Amino acid sequence: MDLHFEQLRTFAAVVDHGSFEAAARRLHVTPSAVSQRMKALESTVGRVLVERAKPARPTPSGRVVLRLARQVTLLATDAFRELGQDSADPAADPVEFSRIPIVVNGDSLNTWVLPALAAARERICVDVYREDQDHSVELLRQGTAMAAVTSDSRPVQGCAVRPLGRMRYRPMASPEFLRTWLPEGPTVEGLSRAPMLVFDRRDDLQERYLRRRARRAWDPPRHYVPSSGDFPEAIRLGIGWGMVPEQQRVRYPAGTLVPIDPEVVVEVPLYWQQWRLDSRLLGVLADCVAAAAAGSLDQPGSEGPGQRKSGETGG
């Protein structure tokens, strides 16, 4: 099977930019050239690789080839730079930025991941997909992303795993909310009636906390706030109670957000999964993420005294 570099590069551009026309503009060729390259690639593979929809999406067979296309493109960029095509002046360097798609959960993105991306002072364009840490590895399997911050320690086929640390969550509320809805504390009766904040339909961290309070079916009123930055603000305003990571809680003045169950800390272990490639650029990004995590996340042996922990993941 003779797969040409330009055909693979074109396929990745079609998926990344959503259409043949957008890929043509990105690659500085005509839409006809993009169409011809895609037809040639699909003819070689013997499969339809992309759904001609808006946006264009890879087929199941296309996801396999998309992984290859991203790997080949990244390794080719590494090779060109190693051969000396980088200049001493980054602004004058004619070599293109390398696109590295990654998956990050909203809380990590809002707290500690952005400094890691800023520290990767390379010609890298990071394409961040936001996804719950319990579901992010699916984008690795699909070939959509090259790396992910995930709670899954089991390596996806073809990936390497590096532990990052733990995010600690506490069930928090505003003082007024506690006085109104939970005057007796986090009782089963009170939690059954108190409005609860949930990030999105995949966020089950609040449910996991409730199941630890009592093994029963819970159906409190739910507010959905799908923004990590606005989630603790909604709690501060008294809309509901919810699970807040320590990195966000400390941004608020003392007494603004208070724990509804002071002894409980729910820990979410995080890992960095990436394609197993000998790529300098991907390695630089991984090292920056690991360094930022070491400075922000709790590491083994760092738990505080007098805390009851949950080993469950979520959020």
Side-chain angles (χ1 to χ4, degrees), residues 5 7 17 23 42 50 92 101 107 113 118 132 136 143 152 170 179 199-200 218 246 265 271 280 294 304:
F5 175 77
Q7 294 172 2
H17 298 283
E42 290 178 328
V50 64
D107 289 336
V113 165
D132 181 88
S136 55
D152 196 340
R170 294 178 183 271
R179 287 191 290 270
F199 185 82
D200 60 21
W218 295 87
E246 287 291 305
V265 175
Y271 303 86
R280 187 182 68 84

Side-chain angles (χ1 to χ4, degrees), residues 170-186:
R170 294 178 183 271
M172 308 294 290
S174 70
E176 179 61 29
F177 184 91
L178 285 182
R179 287 191 290 270
T180 301
W181 293 98
L182 300 171
E184 305 299 324

Side-chain angles (χ1 to χ4, degrees), residues 125-166:
C125 278
V126 180
D127 190 351
V128 179
Y129 292 83
R130 186 196 61 76
E131 182 56 271
D132 181 88
Q133 66 268 9
D134 290 340
H135 303 276
S136 55
V137 293
E138 184 58 32
L139 295 182
L140 287 175
R141 294 191 183 97
Q142 295 175 2
T144 302
M146 294 183 181
V149 175
T150 174
S151 61
D152 196 340
S153 63
R154 297 165 298 181
V156 172
Q157 184 177 5
C159 289
V161 179
R162 178 190 297 194
L164 296 174
R166 303 166 303 196

Side-chain angles (χ1 to χ4, degrees), residues 132-134 151 169 203-205 208 266-268 312-315:
D132 181 88
Q133 66 268 9
D134 290 340
S151 61
Y169 289 79
D203 173 21
D204 68 346
L205 188 56
R208 296 188 186 198
V266 178
E267 293 186 344
V268 178
E312 296 183 339
T313 63

Side-chain angles (χ1 to χ4, degrees), residues 43-122:
S43 177
T44 299
V45 177
R47 307 280 184 90
V48 175
L49 301 179
V50 64
E51 297 178 13
R52 272 67 170 177
K54 291 188 177 180
R57 296 185 297 270
T59 63
S61 297
R63 292 170 184 167
V64 177
V65 179
L66 180 62
R67 283 200 302 270
L68 173 64
R70 297 205 192 284
Q71 292 169 353
V72 168
T73 301
L74 183 62
L75 293 175
T77 302
D78 278 350
F80 283 129
R81 294 184 180 185
E82 190 173 344
L83 289 171
Q85 295 196 18
D86 274 331
S87 70
D89 180 7
D93 188 353
V95 178
E96 293 183 357
F97 278 73
S98 295
R99 178 183 177 273
I100 298 183
I102 65 174
V103 194
V104 183
N105 62 303
D107 289 336
S108 293
L109 188 62
N110 185 258
T111 53
W112 64 270
V113 165
L114 288 181
L117 304 185
R121 303 188 185 281
E122 295 280 346

